[in-house]
Amino acid sequence: MSRTEPAADRAQDASPLLEARGLRKSFGAHEVLRGVDLTVRRGEVVALIGPSGSGKTTVLRSLNGLETPDAGTLELTGGPSLDFAEPVPKARRFALRDRSAMVFQHHNLFPHMTVLQNVIEGPTQVRRVPRAAAVVRAEALLARVGLADKRDAYPHQLSGGQQQRVGIVRALALSPDLLLFDEPTSALDPELVGEVLTVMKELADEGWTMVVVTHELAFARAVADEVLFLDGGVVVERGTPARLFTQPAEERTRRFLHRLLHPLD
């Protein structure tokens, strides 16, 4: 299915890839997630928005096993299925992580490795892909995002936008079922944001399944199939961008959108 079809049509036809139910997580006495439900369909882009501290990043990290919820379930089509009511074996968390790849807010590139080495590290060490094949794929992906000439550069020789594009390529090189983005533009200078969002939009158009934590409301409105507004560790409201951004049903959603869209009012 082409990503150029209307979001509503894609959502009706796509099958669920990941379902999370009742996710709860506390850090000490602070309850960060208080029963979050989330369904991600194949080829769908789900955007998580909300104020800082609302639980968005914890949800994202729970989806690939970087955080272990205190309660709830996660089911990924084709396995694994995790019920956090009981201790989850490490092998099952790793199996969950093997199906996804995350792009972090602060790039997280290995500073002592070249761009090419950063990209092939995961496929060769985790996926056991032969180095020659990993290099061929890495070079093709770097060319695709306009960084073919940077394969032998080190991270400190790149702009923030270039580093984040390498981070995206590193995730793509793992051929994941699910791409996770944690505020991928928030650490960038404003003039560099566009180059990263352009790559992300192209991935959405190609049908990659994505969950994106973002404050870029224009991007969420243009690209997402579903938007979830989180506050206080719960999903306050969810809906299509066309509905949620123009006719939010909840007062908390309206206040949040007004603050971001009209900061001087």
Side-chain angles (χ1 to χ4, degrees):
M1 181 178 293
S2 168
R3 288 285 311 187
T4 58
E5 295 181 22
D9 294 342
R10 294 197 302 267
Q12 289 172 4
D13 294 344
S15 59
L17 173 66
L18 176 72
E19 293 189 84
R21 293 290 175 264
L23 296 183
R24 307 185 77 92
K25 178 68 177 180
S26 295
F27 296 102
H30 180 45
E31 193 173 19
V32 179
L33 301 182
R34 299 189 290 124
V36 171
D37 296 339
L38 173 70
T39 298
V40 185
R41 301 180 184 278
R42 293 184 184 277
E44 185 178 53
V45 178
V46 176
L48 307 183
I49 66 172
S52 297
S54 59
K56 305 183 300 297
T57 292
T58 303
V59 170
L60 201 70
R61 291 172 63 86
S62 296
L63 298 184
N64 77 339
L66 288 175
E67 293 288 355
T68 302
D70 301 323
T73 61
L74 276 175
E75 184 169 358
L76 195 59
T77 300
S81 178
L82 288 74
D83 186 344
F84 299 104
E86 301 291 339
V88 176
K90 184 180 295 185
R92 301 195 74 189
R93 294 203 310 272
F94 286 171
L96 178 69
R97 197 173 305 171
D98 282 346
R99 300 281 301 279
S100 65
M102 183 176 284
V103 179
F104 297 90
Q105 179 178 349
H106 293 288
H107 324 310
N108 284 17
L109 301 179
F110 297 113
H112 62 288
M113 292 184 178
T114 65
V115 165
L116 182 66
Q117 290 169 334
N118 265 281
V119 174
I120 69 172
E121 179 73 6
T124 57
Q125 299 301 313
V126 177
R127 299 282 196 263
R128 303 301 179 188
V129 175
R131 189 181 190 280
V135 168
V136 169
R137 177 161 172 75
E139 290 178 335
L141 289 171
L142 288 169
R144 170 182 172 177
V145 300
L147 294 175
D149 61 333
K150 301 296 184 183
R151 56 159 278 168
D152 297 319
Y154 286 87
H156 75 272
Q157 297 172 311
L158 306 178
S159 70
Q162 289 171 334
Q163 289 185 51
Q164 196 59 292
R165 280 185 281 160
V166 173
I168 293 173
V169 166
R170 183 175 61 178
L172 294 176
L174 292 168
S175 300
D177 294 313
L178 178 66
L179 282 170
L180 306 172
F181 293 83
D182 186 13
E183 295 281 10
T185 61
S186 64
L188 300 178
D189 292 335
E191 65 269 21
L192 302 177
V193 168
E195 65 188 63
V196 173
L197 294 181
T198 295
V199 171
M200 293 172 63
K201 184 179 185 305
E202 290 171 353
L203 295 175
D205 289 340
E206 292 169 13
W208 286 86
T209 307
M210 300 161 58
V211 180
V212 183
V213 172
T214 185
H215 282 112
E216 300 289 345
L217 299 189
F219 172 82
R221 187 168 187 169
V223 176
D225 298 283
E226 184 178 39
V227 179
L228 275 63
F229 170 60
L230 279 77
D231 194 12
V234 299
V235 178
V236 175
E237 187 168 355
R238 68 184 77 211
T240 65
R243 202 279 300 166
L244 190 139
F245 285 116
T246 60
Q247 296 178 315
E250 301 294 330
E251 178 61 26
R252 290 163 74 186
T253 313
R254 289 194 288 271
R255 289 199 306 267
F256 173 78
L257 293 175
H258 185 83
R259 284 198 303 270
L260 263 67
L261 297 174
H262 306 283
L264 299 182
D265 288 0

PDB file of all heavy atoms in Angstrom, residues 3-29:
ATOM      1  N   ARG A   3       1.995   5.045   0.696  1.00  0.00           N
ATOM      2  CA  ARG A   3       1.773   6.019   1.762  1.00  0.00           C
ATOM      3  C   ARG A   3       1.137   7.283   1.226  1.00  0.00           C
ATOM      4  O   ARG A   3       0.863   8.197   1.968  1.00  0.00           O
ATOM      5  CB  ARG A   3       3.101   6.368   2.432  1.00  0.00           C
ATOM      6  CG  ARG A   3       3.682   5.289   3.286  1.00  0.00           C
ATOM      7  CD  ARG A   3       2.978   5.134   4.586  1.00  0.00           C
ATOM      8  NE  ARG A   3       2.805   6.406   5.260  1.00  0.00           N
ATOM      9  CZ  ARG A   3       2.328   6.518   6.478  1.00  0.00           C
ATOM     10  NH1 ARG A   3       1.971   5.449   7.148  1.00  0.00           N
ATOM     11  NH2 ARG A   3       2.198   7.669   7.043  1.00  0.00           N
ATOM     12  N   THR A   4       0.919   7.368  -0.090  1.00  0.00           N
ATOM     13  CA  THR A   4       0.267   8.551  -0.627  1.00  0.00           C
ATOM     14  C   THR A   4      -1.244   8.481  -0.486  1.00  0.00           C
ATOM     15  O   THR A   4      -1.942   9.434  -0.754  1.00  0.00           O
ATOM     16  CB  THR A   4       0.616   8.737  -2.118  1.00  0.00           C
ATOM     17  OG1 THR A   4       0.219   7.560  -2.837  1.00  0.00           O
ATOM     18  CG2 THR A   4       2.113   8.940  -2.285  1.00  0.00           C
ATOM     19  N   GLU A   5      -1.780   7.318  -0.041  1.00  0.00           N
ATOM     20  CA  GLU A   5      -3.210   7.213   0.175  1.00  0.00           C
ATOM     21  C   GLU A   5      -3.605   7.978   1.435  1.00  0.00           C
ATOM     22  O   GLU A   5      -2.796   8.196   2.323  1.00  0.00           O
ATOM     23  CB  GLU A   5      -3.607   5.738   0.337  1.00  0.00           C
ATOM     24  CG  GLU A   5      -3.377   4.914  -0.915  1.00  0.00           C
ATOM     25  CD  GLU A   5      -3.802   3.483  -0.719  1.00  0.00           C
ATOM     26  OE1 GLU A   5      -4.628   3.230   0.172  1.00  0.00           O
ATOM     27  OE2 GLU A   5      -3.300   2.617  -1.449  1.00  0.00           O
ATOM     28  N   PRO A   6      -4.876   8.396   1.533  1.00  0.00           N
ATOM     29  CA  PRO A   6      -5.311   9.105   2.744  1.00  0.00           C
ATOM     30  C   PRO A   6      -5.068   8.257   3.978  1.00  0.00           C
ATOM     31  O   PRO A   6      -5.203   7.040   3.963  1.00  0.00           O
ATOM     32  CB  PRO A   6      -6.816   9.311   2.487  1.00  0.00           C
ATOM     33  CG  PRO A   6      -6.969   9.276   1.004  1.00  0.00           C
ATOM     34  CD  PRO A   6      -5.934   8.298   0.524  1.00  0.00           C
ATOM     35  N   ALA A   7      -4.744   8.915   5.075  1.00  0.00           N
ATOM     36  CA  ALA A   7      -4.416   8.201   6.307  1.00  0.00           C
ATOM     37  C   ALA A   7      -5.566   7.310   6.762  1.00  0.00           C
ATOM     38  O   ALA A   7      -5.358   6.189   7.217  1.00  0.00           O
ATOM     39  CB  ALA A   7      -4.072   9.215   7.414  1.00  0.00           C
ATOM     40  N   ALA A   8      -6.799   7.777   6.648  1.00  0.00           N
ATOM     41  CA  ALA A   8      -7.936   6.983   7.100  1.00  0.00           C
ATOM     42  C   ALA A   8      -8.034   5.674   6.337  1.00  0.00           C
ATOM     43  O   ALA A   8      -8.347   4.623   6.890  1.00  0.00           O
ATOM     44  CB  ALA A   8      -9.227   7.792   6.944  1.00  0.00           C
ATOM     45  N   ASP A   9      -7.781   5.707   5.022  1.00  0.00           N
ATOM     46  CA  ASP A   9      -7.829   4.491   4.218  1.00  0.00           C
ATOM     47  C   ASP A   9      -6.745   3.521   4.635  1.00  0.00           C
ATOM     48  O   ASP A   9      -6.964   2.318   4.710  1.00  0.00           O
ATOM     49  CB  ASP A   9      -7.675   4.825   2.736  1.00  0.00           C
ATOM     50  CG  ASP A   9      -8.855   5.625   2.206  1.00  0.00           C
ATOM     51  OD1 ASP A   9      -9.914   5.618   2.869  1.00  0.00           O
ATOM     52  OD2 ASP A   9      -8.704   6.253   1.140  1.00  0.00           O
ATOM     53  N   ARG A  10      -5.546   4.039   4.893  1.00  0.00           N
ATOM     54  CA  ARG A  10      -4.447   3.165   5.301  1.00  0.00           C
ATOM     55  C   ARG A  10      -4.783   2.502   6.629  1.00  0.00           C
ATOM     56  O   ARG A  10      -4.555   1.312   6.823  1.00  0.00           O
ATOM     57  CB  ARG A  10      -3.156   3.962   5.432  1.00  0.00           C
ATOM     58  CG  ARG A  10      -2.650   4.524   4.115  1.00  0.00           C
ATOM     59  CD  ARG A  10      -1.192   4.921   4.236  1.00  0.00           C
ATOM     60  NE  ARG A  10      -0.965   5.888   5.290  1.00  0.00           N
ATOM     61  CZ  ARG A  10      -0.959   7.200   5.106  1.00  0.00           C
ATOM     62  NH1 ARG A  10      -1.213   7.704   3.921  1.00  0.00           N
ATOM     63  NH2 ARG A  10      -0.712   8.015   6.107  1.00  0.00           N
ATOM     64  N   ALA A  11      -5.315   3.271   7.576  1.00  0.00           N
ATOM     65  CA  ALA A  11      -5.612   2.737   8.906  1.00  0.00           C
ATOM     66  C   ALA A  11      -6.676   1.638   8.840  1.00  0.00           C
ATOM     67  O   ALA A  11      -6.626   0.671   9.591  1.00  0.00           O
ATOM     68  CB  ALA A  11      -6.080   3.863   9.834  1.00  0.00           C
ATOM     69  N   GLN A  12      -7.652   1.782   7.931  1.00  0.00           N
ATOM     70  CA  GLN A  12      -8.697   0.777   7.825  1.00  0.00           C
ATOM     71  C   GLN A  12      -8.146  -0.538   7.284  1.00  0.00           C
ATOM     72  O   GLN A  12      -8.586  -1.613   7.661  1.00  0.00           O
ATOM     73  CB  GLN A  12      -9.809   1.294   6.911  1.00  0.00           C
ATOM     74  CG  GLN A  12     -10.635   2.416   7.541  1.00  0.00           C
ATOM     75  CD  GLN A  12     -11.599   3.038   6.542  1.00  0.00           C
ATOM     76  OE1 GLN A  12     -11.699   2.592   5.397  1.00  0.00           O
ATOM     77  NE2 GLN A  12     -12.282   4.069   6.963  1.00  0.00           N
ATOM     78  N   ASP A  13      -7.190  -0.470   6.372  1.00  0.00           N
ATOM     79  CA  ASP A  13      -6.706  -1.662   5.682  1.00  0.00           C
ATOM     80  C   ASP A  13      -5.556  -2.349   6.399  1.00  0.00           C
ATOM     81  O   ASP A  13      -5.350  -3.549   6.227  1.00  0.00           O
ATOM     82  CB  ASP A  13      -6.261  -1.297   4.260  1.00  0.00           C
ATOM     83  CG  ASP A  13      -7.434  -0.841   3.394  1.00  0.00           C
ATOM     84  OD1 ASP A  13      -8.581  -1.102   3.801  1.00  0.00           O
ATOM     85  OD2 ASP A  13      -7.192  -0.237   2.342  1.00  0.00           O
ATOM     86  N   ALA A  14      -4.781  -1.622   7.193  1.00  0.00           N
ATOM     87  CA  ALA A  14      -3.568  -2.184   7.778  1.00  0.00           C
ATOM     88  C   ALA A  14      -3.909  -3.080   8.970  1.00  0.00           C
ATOM     89  O   ALA A  14      -4.859  -2.833   9.709  1.00  0.00           O
ATOM     90  CB  ALA A  14      -2.627  -1.063   8.217  1.00  0.00           C
ATOM     91  N   SER A  15      -3.083  -4.108   9.160  1.00  0.00           N
ATOM     92  CA  SER A  15      -3.252  -4.999  10.303  1.00  0.00           C
ATOM     93  C   SER A  15      -2.358  -4.536  11.443  1.00  0.00           C
ATOM     94  O   SER A  15      -1.312  -3.928  11.214  1.00  0.00           O
ATOM     95  CB  SER A  15      -2.880  -6.433   9.907  1.00  0.00           C
ATOM     96  OG  SER A  15      -1.533  -6.482   9.463  1.00  0.00           O
ATOM     97  N   PRO A  16      -2.753  -4.813  12.684  1.00  0.00           N
ATOM     98  CA  PRO A  16      -1.918  -4.386  13.823  1.00  0.00           C
ATOM     99  C   PRO A  16      -0.550  -5.063  13.796  1.00  0.00           C
ATOM    100  O   PRO A  16      -0.454  -6.267  13.545  1.00  0.00           O
ATOM    101  CB  PRO A  16      -2.735  -4.831  15.036  1.00  0.00           C
ATOM    102  CG  PRO A  16      -4.136  -4.946  14.545  1.00  0.00           C
ATOM    103  CD  PRO A  16      -4.023  -5.408  13.126  1.00  0.00           C
ATOM    104  N   LEU A  17       0.484  -4.284  14.042  1.00  0.00           N
ATOM    105  CA  LEU A  17       1.828  -4.825  14.212  1.00  0.00           C
ATOM    106  C   LEU A  17       2.156  -4.943  15.693  1.00  0.00           C
ATOM    107  O   LEU A  17       2.734  -5.937  16.138  1.00  0.00           O
ATOM    108  CB  LEU A  17       2.859  -3.919  13.525  1.00  0.00           C
ATOM    109  CG  LEU A  17       4.330  -4.278  13.756  1.00  0.00           C
ATOM    110  CD1 LEU A  17       4.652  -5.625  13.102  1.00  0.00           C
ATOM    111  CD2 LEU A  17       5.245  -3.184  13.227  1.00  0.00           C
ATOM    112  N   LEU A  18       1.769  -3.931  16.467  1.00  0.00           N
ATOM    113  CA  LEU A  18       2.099  -3.892  17.889  1.00  0.00           C
ATOM    114  C   LEU A  18       0.887  -3.421  18.673  1.00  0.00           C
ATOM    115  O   LEU A  18       0.224  -2.448  18.290  1.00  0.00           O
ATOM    116  CB  LEU A  18       3.266  -2.932  18.130  1.00  0.00           C
ATOM    117  CG  LEU A  18       3.677  -2.698  19.580  1.00  0.00           C
ATOM    118  CD1 LEU A  18       4.373  -3.939  20.135  1.00  0.00           C
ATOM    119  CD2 LEU A  18       4.594  -1.487  19.694  1.00  0.00           C
ATOM    120  N   GLU A  19       0.591  -4.111  19.772  1.00  0.00           N
ATOM    121  CA  GLU A  19      -0.486  -3.693  20.654  1.00  0.00           C
ATOM    122  C   GLU A  19       0.034  -3.648  22.088  1.00  0.00           C
ATOM    123  O   GLU A  19       0.582  -4.636  22.587  1.00  0.00           O
ATOM    124  CB  GLU A  19      -1.672  -4.645  20.554  1.00  0.00           C
ATOM    125  CG  GLU A  19      -2.361  -4.600  19.188  1.00  0.00           C
ATOM    126  CD  GLU A  19      -3.662  -5.370  19.161  1.00  0.00           C
ATOM    127  OE1 GLU A  19      -4.696  -4.797  19.560  1.00  0.00           O
ATOM    128  OE2 GLU A  19      -3.637  -6.549  18.757  1.00  0.00           O
ATOM    129  N   ALA A  20      -0.124  -2.507  22.718  1.00  0.00           N
ATOM    130  CA  ALA A  20       0.239  -2.327  24.127  1.00  0.00           C
ATOM    131  C   ALA A  20      -1.038  -2.068  24.905  1.00  0.00           C
ATOM    132  O   ALA A  20      -1.892  -1.283  24.471  1.00  0.00           O
ATOM    133  CB  ALA A  20       1.201  -1.153  24.290  1.00  0.00           C
ATOM    134  N   ARG A  21      -1.160  -2.729  26.053  1.00  0.00           N
ATOM    135  CA  ARG A  21      -2.363  -2.584  26.862  1.00  0.00           C
ATOM    136  C   ARG A  21      -1.992  -2.367  28.331  1.00  0.00           C
ATOM    137  O   ARG A  21      -1.223  -3.135  28.909  1.00  0.00           O
ATOM    138  CB  ARG A  21      -3.235  -3.840  26.746  1.00  0.00           C
ATOM    139  CG  ARG A  21      -3.833  -4.050  25.355  1.00  0.00           C
ATOM    140  CD  ARG A  21      -4.907  -3.014  25.061  1.00  0.00           C
ATOM    141  NE  ARG A  21      -5.424  -3.123  23.693  1.00  0.00           N
ATOM    142  CZ  ARG A  21      -5.001  -2.392  22.676  1.00  0.00           C
ATOM    143  NH1 ARG A  21      -4.050  -1.487  22.874  1.00  0.00           N
ATOM    144  NH2 ARG A  21      -5.525  -2.532  21.488  1.00  0.00           N
ATOM    145  N   GLY A  22      -2.529  -1.314  28.898  1.00  0.00           N
ATOM    146  CA  GLY A  22      -2.411  -1.074  30.333  1.00  0.00           C
ATOM    147  C   GLY A  22      -0.999  -0.880  30.838  1.00  0.00           C
ATOM    148  O   GLY A  22      -0.694  -1.286  31.972  1.00  0.00           O
ATOM    149  N   LEU A  23      -0.140  -0.231  30.052  1.00  0.00           N
ATOM    150  CA  LEU A  23       1.249  -0.051  30.484  1.00  0.00           C
ATOM    151  C   LEU A  23       1.318   0.889  31.688  1.00  0.00           C
ATOM    152  O   LEU A  23       0.786   2.005  31.657  1.00  0.00           O
ATOM    153  CB  LEU A  23       2.102   0.522  29.351  1.00  0.00           C
ATOM    154  CG  LEU A  23       2.285  -0.354  28.104  1.00  0.00           C
ATOM    155  CD1 LEU A  23       3.229   0.337  27.116  1.00  0.00           C
ATOM    156  CD2 LEU A  23       2.804  -1.742  28.467  1.00  0.00           C
ATOM    157  N   ARG A  24       1.983   0.423  32.726  1.00  0.00           N
ATOM    158  CA  ARG A  24       2.198   1.221  33.933  1.00  0.00           C
ATOM    159  C   ARG A  24       3.685   1.175  34.268  1.00  0.00           C
ATOM    160  O   ARG A  24       4.347   0.142  34.113  1.00  0.00           O
ATOM    161  CB  ARG A  24       1.368   0.703  35.100  1.00  0.00           C
ATOM    162  CG  ARG A  24      -0.113   0.564  34.809  1.00  0.00           C
ATOM    163  CD  ARG A  24      -0.902   0.171  36.043  1.00  0.00           C
ATOM    164  NE  ARG A  24      -1.080   1.321  36.926  1.00  0.00           N
ATOM    165  CZ  ARG A  24      -2.130   2.139  36.875  1.00  0.00           C
ATOM    166  NH1 ARG A  24      -3.100   1.945  35.992  1.00  0.00           N
ATOM    167  NH2 ARG A  24      -2.234   3.146  37.723  1.00  0.00           N
ATOM    168  N   LYS A  25       4.201   2.314  34.730  1.00  0.00           N
ATOM    169  CA  LYS A  25       5.615   2.374  35.094  1.00  0.00           C
ATOM    170  C   LYS A  25       5.820   3.456  36.137  1.00  0.00           C
ATOM    171  O   LYS A  25       5.343   4.586  35.989  1.00  0.00           O
ATOM    172  CB  LYS A  25       6.489   2.680  33.858  1.00  0.00           C
ATOM    173  CG  LYS A  25       7.968   2.807  34.144  1.00  0.00           C
ATOM    174  CD  LYS A  25       8.588   1.486  34.553  1.00  0.00           C
ATOM    175  CE  LYS A  25      10.087   1.610  34.755  1.00  0.00           C
ATOM    176  NZ  LYS A  25      10.701   0.329  35.161  1.00  0.00           N
ATOM    177  N   SER A  26       6.537   3.103  37.202  1.00  0.00           N
ATOM    178  CA  SER A  26       6.895   4.069  38.241  1.00  0.00           C
ATOM    179  C   SER A  26       8.393   4.099  38.406  1.00  0.00           C
ATOM    180  O   SER A  26       9.073   3.074  38.254  1.00  0.00           O
ATOM    181  CB  SER A  26       6.240   3.706  39.577  1.00  0.00           C
ATOM    182  OG  SER A  26       4.837   3.799  39.506  1.00  0.00           O
ATOM    183  N   PHE A  27       8.900   5.279  38.711  1.00  0.00           N
ATOM    184  CA  PHE A  27      10.283   5.448  39.116  1.00  0.00           C
ATOM    185  C   PHE A  27      10.251   5.945  40.554  1.00  0.00           C
ATOM    186  O   PHE A  27       9.948   7.106  40.814  1.00  0.00           O
ATOM    187  CB  PHE A  27      11.017   6.430  38.206  1.00  0.00           C
ATOM    188  CG  PHE A  27      11.141   5.952  36.775  1.00  0.00           C
ATOM    189  CD1 PHE A  27      10.316   6.460  35.794  1.00  0.00           C
ATOM    190  CD2 PHE A  27      12.084   4.986  36.428  1.00  0.00           C
ATOM    191  CE1 PHE A  27      10.413   6.030  34.484  1.00  0.00           C
ATOM    192  CE2 PHE A  27      12.196   4.543  35.125  1.00  0.00           C
ATOM    193  CZ  PHE A  27      11.362   5.066  34.153  1.00  0.00           C
ATOM    194  N   GLY A  28      10.517   5.025  41.498  1.00  0.00           N
ATOM    195  CA  GLY A  28      10.344   5.366  42.894  1.00  0.00           C
ATOM    196  C   GLY A  28       8.874   5.622  43.174  1.00  0.00           C
ATOM    197  O   GLY A  28       8.005   4.837  42.801  1.00  0.00           O
ATOM    198  N   ALA A  29       8.578   6.756  43.804  1.00  0.00           N
ATOM    199  CA  ALA A  29       7.190   7.094  44.138  1.00  0.00           C
ATOM    200  C   ALA A  29       6.469   7.788  42.986  1.00  0.00           C
ATOM    201  O   ALA A  29       5.265   8.054  43.079  1.00  0.00           O
ATOM    202  CB  ALA A  29       7.162   7.987  45.376  1.00  0.00           C
TER     203      ALA A  29
END
